[in-house]
Amino acid sequence: MASNANTFNNITSASKRGSLVVTDWHRCKDSKEYFSKIMQKKKRKIFGLLESPVMPPHSPVDTVHYKIFLSGKSGVGKSALAAHLAGKKIPSMHYETTGIETTVVYWPVKLTESGRVLFFRFQLWDCGENALRRFDHLLPSCKEKADAVLFLFSFTDRTSFDDLASQISKWNESSGGLVVTLVVGTKFDLFMHCDVSEKDVRDFRETWQLPVLRTGGGEAGDGLDGAAPLLNCLAESLWHQDCVAARHQTQLWTAT
């Protein structure tokens, strides 16, 4: 969170979680200037590690940076989800990620309370299951300074759903500091082959007190409507976490 410290200078009190960002802002007229900076010929721009959207001098926008780790069994769709969120073409064939792959996603967000606009820069870290087993140093590298973790399961693979409890427990045992935790069910559109029921999801949510998001396996399209729910939820959760941390830090300064 250190790289985002300058964005909290004007924070008063954080709004109740669930109302911090305008969730359908990408459909509003006043968002066009900002979303045009992540689009090219009606498709999402692909950003490298050192690239970023360029705004005109009269409209400067702060960027907040976050590292997101994608966790899940082989074949659940981690690479496909990263491609989907970045607006990339989703691979038609599954292949095992041989090491660590990173994907940069920029997403403009309007804050509900202040009307302020921020660019959220999500760096998605994806590592193949076999590589994690073979090389002990990979998982600590993925976890280091992570701001959020997405635990993935596939609606077409019951074993990936049953494995969630083990994954979350292992993460909680070794993770330090505040980390946003979300669960994402992939291939939700393949309902004819669904191995995980709505009751299963409800029971899991009640037991673990974690939000469960759903995503399909279709084409990326323009990368806005399809990706917006998950990206906005991620931005909301991370901003809420940072606001709480900033407020806590302010209280400590006041107390001393």
Side-chain angles (χ1 to χ4, degrees), residues 43-86:
K43 292 186 178 182
R44 294 275 292 283
K45 288 182 181 178
I46 307 303
F47 291 94
L49 289 176
L50 301 180
E51 297 176 305
S52 62
V54 179
M55 292 294 294
H58 66 274
S59 301
V61 178
D62 288 325
T63 300
V64 286
H65 299 245
Y66 298 100
K67 176 181 176 180
I68 319 296
F69 177 48
L70 307 183
S71 175
K73 289 174 64 66
S74 177
V76 297
K78 298 188 294 294
S79 298
L81 178 64
H84 174 63
L85 295 180

Side-chain angles (χ1 to χ4, degrees), residues 21-209:
V21 306
V22 181
T23 55
D24 61 348
W25 189 55
H26 64 286
R27 298 175 180 170
C28 300
K29 287 184 178 180
D30 63 330
S31 73
K32 301 300 182 185
E33 179 183 11
Y34 303 93
F35 278 94
S36 68
K37 304 306 177 183
I38 66 167
M39 304 292 291
Q40 188 171 38
K41 296 181 179 179
K42 297 183 178 181
K43 292 186 178 182
R44 294 275 292 283
K45 288 182 181 178
I46 307 303
F47 291 94
L49 289 176
L50 301 180
E51 297 176 305
S52 62
V54 179
M55 292 294 294
H58 66 274
S59 301
V61 178
D62 288 325
T63 300
V64 286
H65 299 245
Y66 298 100
K67 176 181 176 180
I68 319 296
F69 177 48
L70 307 183
S71 175
K73 289 174 64 66
S74 177
V76 297
K78 298 188 294 294
S79 298
L81 178 64
H84 174 63
L85 295 180
K88 295 181 179 180
K89 183 177 177 61
I90 298 174
S92 57
M93 297 288 291
H94 169 260
Y95 66 92
E96 175 76 15
T97 304
T98 56
I100 296 175
E101 291 186 1
T102 61
T103 303
V104 174
V105 179
Y106 279 94
W107 188 252
V109 167
K110 185 174 185 179
L111 302 180
T112 304
E113 186 176 280
S114 64
R116 182 183 180 190
V117 177
L118 297 170
F119 269 113
F120 278 70
R121 181 189 187 274
F122 302 120
Q123 188 177 55
L124 308 177
W125 284 54
D126 167 26
C127 190
E129 185 180 20
N130 290 329
L132 287 174
R133 289 175 178 172
R134 289 179 59 193
F135 304 106
D136 293 339
H137 67 281
L138 292 183
L139 185 57
S141 295
C142 291
K143 287 184 173 183
E144 184 180 11
K145 296 182 180 179
D147 300 291
V149 55
L150 304 184
F151 292 105
L152 274 64
F153 73 94
S154 169
F155 276 96
T156 65
D157 180 1
R158 178 73 197 195
T159 61
S160 69
F161 180 77
D162 293 337
D163 189 55
L164 284 175
S166 174
Q167 286 191 57
I168 296 172
S169 296
K170 288 179 180 178
W171 177 275
N172 290 339
E173 288 172 3
S174 59
S175 178
L178 292 175
V179 178
V180 166
T181 303
L182 300 175
V183 177
V184 180
T186 64
K187 305 178 186 179
F188 182 63
D189 52 344
L190 303 179
F191 57 88
M192 293 293 290
H193 308 282
C194 189
D195 289 336
V196 181
S197 69
E198 285 299 316
K199 183 180 183 303
D200 293 328
V201 173
R202 270 197 317 272
D203 291 344
F204 174 88
R205 194 166 52 226
E206 291 173 2
T207 300
W208 289 91
Q209 294 296 301

